[in-house]
Amino acid sequence: MNILLIGGGGREHALAWKLAQSPLLGTLFAAPGNPGIAAHATLVPLDAMDHAAIVAFCAEKTIGLVVIGPEAPLVDGLADSLRTAGVPVFGPSKAAAQLEGSKGFTKDLCARAGIPTAGYLRVTDRDTAVRALNGTFGLPVVIKADGLAAGKGVTVAMTRDEAMAAIDDLFATPGAEAVIEEFLSGEEASLFVLTDGTHLMPFGSAQDHKRVGEGDTGPNTGGMGAYSPARVLTPALEQQAIDTIVRPTVETMAAEGTPFVGVLYAGLMLTAQGPKLIEYNARFGDPETQVLMLRFEGDLAALMLATAQGRLDEAPAPVFAADPTLTVVVAARGYPGTPAAGGAIAGIDAAEATGATVFQAGTRLSGDTLVASGGRVLAVTARGASVAAAQAAAYRAAALLDFPDGFCRRDIGWREVARERGE
């Protein structure tokens, strides 16, 4: 079976790495891919927003499955165009992708379905946002851009000045919309569930590190590292989240004529009252995919095809290695602001010689030299008998990279490492 993978980031490198191991695979194509993905796939210069070109390519190359990695093509309706052409696709329709494309849509669905989440108010202008800040919500308060924001459109405002700055920044853009939410206390965890629109299959957990600085300080990013599994999401809490959050979402989407097909990534807050939904992503997370794929021991292509064809109930339950995995994102200087571009990268072979796997995200070739082309550049990923051991292995490998423009957090996995030590 020939497979087309859409995307070119670290998530897609991890997916390509795993898809390439499938006995079902004929040729793996990736559009546009990156230099790391090129080790596993044939790169093709297709624009993810050019639906006609992608459909034509699928016909020409007899593509049996399309895997859409990033959120933007999903929200743009690429999956609909492919399904109309009869191509199996792993990823939700445009209507279902609103779960990520519009935070307001998701909050309203939660209200209709009785799904536990933070109290909220949708606002479409600055004055309404300020009134909500004055009369509805205390501090801290969470302010979110309604649309896609690459993981960076969220402000957790601890002071009124921070809240006002976030509101002013959001509504400086004409037509902007926002969601203002109550602040939830607890620890965050990410839960992944595959669904073919009817059936559910839990697909692992992870804990991401969104803030740019050590100790979870500084502005939000797309993710500076992650580890899996998130043991704080116990089996009992995971089942509670599935029963009270994920399953009602899938059932509501199906009942309203917009069944969700693909992977639901539920960002959860583990509060004193139980798991509550922070937000959904309509695709695998980045860098969570890197740690999940390193632990997953099954046939990813077969599982994705079963999801795309509505046969998820026939597929075997996924098997994950018991050993935890941890990934450290190496970002370009200046991220999450304006990252330094063009910096040379070397030492990946040396890093991987330690047993780690280095997934490429924001990279390109300049002649024969690998250089940075994005904010998050590499994800150094390793396994270990404990989270502390996986952490040590990942940082040992990262130290062998030669990327003067790069930086990373030094404390990925710190909460679980502290728990392992009994702290």
Side-chain angles (χ1 to χ4, degrees), residues 319-340:
V319 176
F320 290 90
D323 284 352
T325 53
L326 184 142
T327 191
V328 175
V329 169
V330 181
R333 173 174 43 85
Y335 180 76
T338 302

Side-chain angles (χ1 to χ4, degrees), residues 215-240:
D216 293 327
T217 57
N220 274 330
T221 72
M224 294 300 294
Y227 67 91
S228 176
R231 294 189 183 120
V232 69
L233 185 67
T234 63
L237 286 175
E238 179 177 311
Q239 191 60 53
Q240 185 180 352

Side-chain angles (χ1 to χ4, degrees), residues 362-379:
T363 63
R364 64 176 178 86
L365 286 174
S366 176
D368 294 331
T369 302
L370 187 70
V371 300
S373 64
R376 294 182 299 165
V377 180
L378 304 170

Side-chain angles (χ1 to χ4, degrees), residues 8-406:
R11 165 186 45 234
E12 288 77 36
H13 189 179
L15 292 174
W17 176 81
K18 197 65 188 179
L19 286 167
Q21 300 169 29
S22 172
L24 292 179
L25 183 65
T27 300
L28 177 61
F29 298 94
N34 66 37
I37 294 171
H40 314 287
T42 300
L43 305 190
V44 290
L46 290 171
D47 182 349
M49 300 304 183
D50 189 342
H51 298 196
I54 291 173
V55 169
F57 179 86
C58 289
E60 177 190 349
K61 299 296 184 182
T62 321
I63 299 297
L65 175 67
V66 175
V67 178
I68 303 175
E71 58 274 23
L74 292 169
V75 172
D76 191 53
L78 177 57
D80 303 82
S81 298
L82 289 163
R83 288 194 178 99
T84 298
V87 181
V89 56
F90 182 88
S93 66
K94 179 176 183 175
Q98 288 182 91
L99 282 175
E100 178 168 3
S102 170
K103 293 177 177 62
F105 172 88
T106 298
K107 299 297 283 192
D108 289 349
L109 182 143
C110 288
R112 294 196 304 276
I115 293 168
T117 188
Y120 74 103
L121 186 67
R122 297 181 70 169
V123 293
T124 57
D125 61 83
R126 181 186 179 281
D127 290 347
T128 305
V130 172
R131 286 197 298 272
L133 192 64
N134 291 337
T136 307
F137 297 96
L139 293 169
V141 66
V142 181
I143 299 165
K144 298 179 177 180
D146 186 60
L148 296 179
K152 293 177 283 188
V154 178
T155 298
V156 180
M158 307 305 291
T159 67
R160 179 174 173 79
D161 285 348
E162 288 176 344
M164 288 301 301
I167 289 170
D168 288 341
D169 184 53
L170 271 171
F171 288 103
T173 303
E177 297 186 17
V179 173
I180 301 180
E181 295 185 3
E182 69 168 319
F183 177 81
L184 294 177
S185 296
E187 191 166 339
E188 292 187 37
S190 303
L191 173 63
F192 298 86
V193 179
L194 304 184
T195 175
D196 58 11
T198 303
H199 309 99
L200 303 181
M201 179 180 284
F203 196 78
S205 65
Q207 190 169 75
D208 190 12
H209 297 63
K210 284 290 187 188
R211 301 286 189 134
V212 73
E214 275 84 3
D216 293 327
T217 57
N220 274 330
T221 72
M224 294 300 294
Y227 67 91
S228 176
R231 294 189 183 120
V232 69
L233 185 67
T234 63
L237 286 175
E238 179 177 311
Q239 191 60 53
Q240 185 180 352
I242 290 171
D243 291 342
T244 64
I245 297 172
V246 180
R247 192 179 306 281
T249 299
V250 171
E251 291 175 347
T252 300
M253 295 292 284
E256 295 181 354
T258 55
F260 189 100
V261 177
V263 60
L264 264 179
Y265 162 5
L268 305 174
M269 184 68 78
L270 306 180
T271 75
Q273 296 78 40
K276 293 188 178 184
L277 180 70
I278 301 172
E279 62 184 23
Y280 275 125
N281 289 331
R283 37 71 192 181
F284 280 112
D286 187 348
E288 296 94 339
T289 308
Q290 288 87 316
V291 288
L292 286 174
M293 292 302 115
L294 212 65
R295 289 185 59 226
F296 178 52
E297 297 184 333
D299 185 336
L300 182 64
L303 197 51
M304 286 180 158
L305 185 63
T307 302
Q309 294 180 334
R311 300 182 289 104
L312 194 57
D313 58 325
E314 301 172 10
V319 176
F320 290 90
D323 284 352
T325 53
L326 184 142
T327 191
V328 175
V329 169
V330 181
R333 173 174 43 85
Y335 180 76
T338 302
I345 302 161
I348 289 178
D349 288 346
E352 293 196 323
T354 68
T357 303
V358 180
F359 295 112
Q360 296 184 34
T363 63
R364 64 176 178 86
L365 286 174
S366 176
D368 294 331
T369 302
L370 187 70
V371 300
S373 64
R376 294 182 299 165
V377 180
L378 304 170
V380 184
T381 313
R383 285 168 68 166
S386 63
V387 173
Q391 181 194 60
Y395 281 113
R396 187 164 55 247
L400 297 174
L401 295 171
D402 181 7
F403 178 31
D405 278 347

